[in-house]
Amino acid sequence: MESPTPPSTTAWRQVDPSIVLFWRLGALLRSLFLGLPFIALIAASAAYFVHISLAVVVLALYALLFVVRVFVWPRLTYQRLSFRVGERDLRVASGVIFRQETIIPFSRIQFVDSHQGPIERLFSLARVYVYTASGPAPDGGIPGLRSEEASALRDELAHAHRRDEGDGV
Amino acid sequence: MESESQTQVEPAAELQSTAEPPSPQQEATRPEPPWRRLHPASILVNLLPHAWRQLRGYWPLLIALFVGSEVTVGRLDLDLVLFLFLFAASQTLIHQLTLRFRVKDGKLEVQDGLLYRRSRILGAERIQSASLLRNPFHRLAGLVEVRIETAGDLRTEGLLSALSVERANELLGELEEIRRQGRSRDEEEDAPPTEEILHEVGLLEILGHGLSSMRAGVFGFLVLVAMEIARQTDPTLAAGLPEQAFNPAFVVGFVFSAFAVGWLLALGGALLSLFRFRLTLQEDLVRAEQGLLTRRRVELGLGRVHVLRIDEPFVRRRMGYGSIFLQTAGIAVGPEGVRAADANIPMIPRARLRELCALFLPGLSLDPWASTRPGAPPFSRAPIRVLLLGLLGASLQSFAAGLVALWLLGPWGLLIACLLWPLLLLGAWLDWSWQTWAVDHHVLISRRGFWSRQTWILPREKVQSMVRIQDPFLRVLGLGRVVVRMASARVVLPIMRWSDAGELLDCAERERPD
């Protein structure tokens, strides 16, 4: 059977906007259940061993960090995340502070994984990871795709061996 | 703990088909291949090995619990071990219940996971090798683990962890049949090929290699470990540490001792690993044999070289030698044994480096030693902003070292810091001068360092992916880094302009040369 010819596009695509809410929810849960007890302990120690004002400073800093992590950071991350399926390669751009752009030629793709956690399933979201022969870690990852889009992208990349049907190595 | 035996399974007999290829309508109505699962006994077969791997991963914690001098084994410690074992058991159960696989349209599909579901599609043509493993538990149950190796990936281990022998052979037969359809066969039997000796290393070269591979840091590390062990086992030893540890004469003596012991360790290591080193060429197969106590033989196909690195540390360079390090995509198991992934060829006369590089990379068209002037065309040099960055880094390093020296040695420390600063600045300038890179239709070359000079030659057709990275500081300066990912290796290029990094990324999408 002929492999389906993937649509040719050079436009950068953004992931689904609902990933922002997913990230915010994750940050909120982590901040409440992991960060808050830890910070409360530090603030209590500061108040007991040093001065109450230091505890206030610690709590104020954490509150600022909380606002950034839950409300600002997911939006910035979403704006900086995009991908492009070109004629011969996949490009993924990401990162807010440490920006990076990854290029993966189709002929080098060894396999493609899609992952979907339980909360992602609630949002109908999934992640796609692309692996080459470079090692056990994925060369590129795209979170925040709709489930059907993730499956379509995964299948598209898995079939996108252009000129070379060799072992990709 | 495991006694594993690897067997290469003979593929199923090639299917003889004289039927017409199926029509699209027939393709559409062809039933989906069924999903298959692990053998039910996989839970028992995998439980102990998996639990052992889990516990082994926590060895520092276990040592702290059971070996520490002031801790006795208590209920909490045993509960922790029991928790880890139960965690491993639950993972084994989930693995058995959720994993399913099938071969569809020439690709192996594997799905597993309960909360985090994973779905993988693996093209048969991407498979480097496939093997069967049987540990004692497998043998007792009549099962086998199928390991599918793709280049540079280790994560297929333990995936198809327990299949019956018949099912495993059936799976490998299907995959082999698909791969065979894309391969050409050469059945000619030639006369035994002759072997050509490319390079041999004598005792003097081995000693030179050791002298130019100083490991001063090892001594310091060993001293620190010994001191910590002594403190744990006998705290009175720590109390007896003499005050003259902070005496300048003691510090100078310690530094010289560290260098001397480091050299001795390097000499010993070189003798053990490089004794009777010999590099031979037989047709397109390169063999490297070496070792005093353990004899190691590495075989590399000439077309399999992914990374070629030339090491020219300052002392070795002055001696007139360099070393070549070859790396391939992974490991293959063949009739003659295991072909390891890399080879280190030591102490090559610099006049022969070019010849051997051209042998291992036939497409090499750029000459890394074409010009003694670093950065001369076609090589590019990092912009002056990178030099300023290096000088700033060197200044910060000398400032930090000066603070430590001042605290430890007083005014003597200040003097050491004042002498260190210009040396570090000189080192930064030399490093910047020799940072170059070049790219043409066949290869990508990167060179870094003056004291420990390394040159990477990467065949462009073997590049797996490339990343350009920019932290906030580099963003202000308009600079960035490029990381080239090869099979089982990552090469970081010198810092360059962000626009130059983008142009290099475009190279990755251009395929192998015509």
Side-chain angles (χ1 to χ4, degrees):
Chain A
M1 186 173 73
E2 284 287 332
S3 300
T5 304
S8 168
T9 173
T10 57
W12 287 89
R13 293 150 62 179
Q14 279 202 296
V15 298
D16 195 274
S18 55
I19 191 67
V20 176
L21 183 59
F22 171 77
W23 282 334
R24 283 181 172 155
L25 183 63
L28 178 68
L29 293 174
R30 280 192 297 273
S31 299
L32 288 178
F33 292 105
L34 296 177
L36 191 58
F38 181 66
I39 287 298
L41 184 64
I42 292 180
S45 304
Y48 183 78
F49 292 107
V50 184
H51 195 268
I52 188 74
S53 56
L54 184 60
V56 172
V57 170
V58 168
L59 289 173
L61 285 174
Y62 183 72
L64 179 64
L65 186 67
F66 177 86
V67 168
V68 170
R69 279 210 67 185
V70 175
F71 296 102
V72 178
W73 197 257
R75 174 58 61 178
L76 289 177
T77 307
Y78 165 75
Q79 288 171 349
R80 292 292 311 165
L81 176 63
S82 58
F83 67 99
R84 189 183 83 178
V85 181
E87 288 283 339
R88 295 183 178 190
D89 57 62
L90 169 71
R91 293 199 185 214
V92 182
S94 63
V96 178
I97 296 180
F98 292 88
R99 296 181 185 173
Q100 64 182 44
E101 180 183 342
T102 305
I103 182 169
I104 307 170
F106 290 143
S107 60
R108 296 292 173 259
I109 294 175
Q110 293 288 314
F111 53 88
V112 184
D113 272 4
S114 64
H115 289 218
Q116 191 180 44
I119 300 181
E120 281 172 311
R121 215 169 293 142
L122 289 175
F123 283 84
S124 299
L125 296 175
R127 288 165 279 156
V128 168
Y129 291 115
V130 181
Y131 295 83
T132 67
S134 66
D139 289 67
I142 309 172
L145 296 170
R146 305 296 300 177
S147 301
E148 53 278 5
E149 189 183 1
S151 298
L153 179 63
R154 187 200 65 200
D155 293 341
E156 178 186 342
L157 295 175
H159 286 90
H161 303 318
R162 297 297 178 178
R163 282 190 272 164
D164 183 14
E165 286 290 340
D167 60 11
V169 179
Chain B
M1 177 179 176
E2 296 171 359
S3 172
E4 298 175 343
S5 61
Q6 282 195 352
T7 54
Q8 201 70 22
V9 174
E10 290 295 323
E14 189 169 354
L15 297 175
Q16 299 284 338
S17 172
T18 56
E20 290 288 329
S23 64
Q25 291 78 11
Q26 288 174 322
E27 285 284 349
T29 57
R30 191 171 63 185
E32 294 260 313
W35 287 99
R36 303 189 187 283
R37 294 188 177 276
L38 295 178
H39 195 279
S42 69
I43 300 172
L44 298 174
V45 166
N46 291 326
L47 180 59
L48 285 181
H50 187 62
W52 169 246
R53 280 194 291 269
Q54 288 279 337
L55 289 172
R56 203 172 57 189
Y58 293 97
W59 67 267
L61 178 64
L62 294 174
I63 288 178
L65 285 175
F66 296 105
V67 180
S69 60
E70 296 179 7
V71 176
T72 55
V73 177
R75 174 64 189 272
L76 183 62
D77 306 324
L78 292 175
D79 286 348
L80 179 62
V81 175
L82 182 64
F83 170 76
L84 293 174
F85 182 82
L86 289 176
F87 181 67
S90 64
Q91 283 189 321
T92 306
L93 180 65
I94 290 171
H95 176 68
Q96 199 278 333
L97 290 176
T98 62
L99 187 132
R100 57 180 193 169
F101 66 96
R102 67 179 178 182
V103 178
K104 181 187 173 190
D105 296 334
K107 300 188 190 304
L108 175 65
E109 294 184 23
V110 182
Q111 293 182 359
D112 70 334
L114 183 63
L115 291 179
Y116 287 93
R117 295 179 186 169
R118 182 173 55 180
S119 173
R120 178 175 305 172
I121 299 178
L122 200 75
E125 69 283 353
R126 292 290 191 251
I127 296 172
Q128 293 291 301
S129 63
S131 55
L132 302 183
L133 268 81
R134 305 187 83 184
N135 60 34
F137 301 100
H138 282 113
R139 279 194 286 271
L140 280 173
L143 300 179
V144 68
E145 178 183 347
V146 176
R147 288 190 182 178
I148 309 289
E149 280 104 23
T150 57
D153 177 54
L154 304 173
R155 297 175 324 114
T156 53
E157 183 176 329
L159 200 60
L160 303 174
S161 56
L163 306 178
S164 65
V165 177
E166 295 77 24
R167 184 62 54 80
N169 280 326
E170 176 189 326
L171 173 63
L172 292 181
E174 278 186 87
L175 296 174
E176 179 63 26
E177 175 60 27
I178 295 165
R179 291 177 67 200
R180 191 177 297 152
Q181 291 171 4
R183 273 207 314 255
S184 60
R185 287 181 167 275
D186 184 357
E187 300 291 339
E188 293 182 15
E189 292 285 338
D190 297 328
T194 56
E195 197 175 69
E196 174 193 351
I197 297 175
L198 294 176
H199 181 58
E200 283 183 302
V201 171
L203 187 61
L204 282 178
E205 280 99 350
I206 292 175
L207 295 178
H209 188 274
L211 282 175
S212 57
S213 305
M214 187 177 56
R215 301 283 188 268
V218 173
F219 176 70
F221 174 74
L222 290 176
V223 167
L224 289 174
V225 170
M227 285 171 61
E228 183 59 23
I229 292 174
R231 194 182 71 82
Q232 288 284 342
T233 54
D234 187 357
T236 56
L237 281 179
L241 192 68
E243 286 297 326
Q244 58 261 31
F246 301 108
N247 184 317
F250 179 88
V251 171
V252 170
F254 180 87
V255 169
F256 274 110
S257 301
F259 274 82
V261 173
W263 263 314
L264 286 174
L265 288 173
L267 280 175
L271 202 61
L272 283 174
S273 65
L274 300 177
F275 185 72
R276 282 177 55 201
F277 177 92
R278 196 168 75 148
L279 184 74
T280 57
L281 176 67
Q282 189 177 55
E283 284 194 336
D284 65 342
L285 203 62
V286 172
R287 284 200 183 94
E289 294 185 54
Q290 63 193 76
L292 178 62
L293 299 178
T294 301
R295 196 78 184 151
R296 180 178 179 236
R297 191 177 84 170
V298 176
E299 291 184 356
L300 300 171
L302 278 181
R304 289 178 182 266
V305 173
H306 281 237
V307 176
L308 189 152
R309 189 186 77 215
I310 304 141
D311 293 334
E312 298 173 279
F314 182 74
V315 174
R316 198 175 301 166
R317 211 158 64 231
R318 292 295 106 191
M319 291 179 182
Y321 290 94
S323 299
I324 289 178
F325 177 76
L326 300 174
Q327 193 162 358
T328 64
I331 297 175
V333 178
E336 296 176 316
V338 175
R339 298 183 180 187
D342 54 61
N344 199 354
I345 307 166
M347 300 305 280
I348 301 167
R350 294 191 78 206
R352 288 201 65 209
L353 284 173
R354 191 180 290 110
E355 167 200 338
L356 285 177
C357 288
L359 173 69
F360 298 129
L361 294 176
L364 181 62
S365 50
L366 285 173
D367 185 355
W369 301 276
S371 172
T372 56
R373 188 165 57 90
F379 286 84
S380 304
R381 179 189 274 182
I384 201 76
R385 286 166 277 173
V386 179
L387 172 61
L388 295 177
L389 206 61
L391 294 176
L392 179 63
S395 301
L396 289 173
Q397 283 176 22
S398 63
F399 179 71
L403 284 179
V404 174
L406 187 66
W407 175 62
L408 286 177
L409 305 172
W412 285 105
L414 197 60
L415 178 64
I416 291 172
C418 290
L419 291 174
L420 196 61
W421 188 44
L423 288 177
L424 288 178
L425 289 179
L426 176 65
W429 178 76
L430 287 171
D431 273 343
W432 171 80
S433 296
W434 286 93
Q435 281 188 29
T436 58
W437 71 92
V439 59
D440 75 349
H441 204 42
H442 296 274
V443 295
L444 192 156
I445 298 180
S446 170
R447 168 173 288 166
R448 303 185 71 169
F450 178 77
W451 302 110
S452 298
R453 183 174 301 165
Q454 289 184 322
T455 306
W456 284 269
I457 304 178
L458 311 174
R460 277 181 53 197
E461 62 183 8
K462 306 287 189 185
V463 171
Q464 298 299 308
S465 66
M466 295 172 73
V467 189
R468 60 170 178 167
I469 302 169
Q470 192 180 49
D471 61 42
F473 200 48
L474 292 179
R475 197 174 308 132
V476 169
L477 297 171
L479 302 172
R481 284 190 179 88
V482 174
V483 178
V484 181
R485 294 187 184 133
M486 313 296 289
S488 304
R490 292 169 75 249
V491 178
V492 182
L493 301 188
I495 298 176
M496 60 186 71
R497 293 183 190 86
W498 187 243
S499 54
D500 291 341
E503 287 177 17
L504 267 181
L505 248 64
D506 292 337
C507 293
E509 66 174 325
R510 289 197 279 272
E511 297 300 327
R512 61 195 68 192
D514 297 329

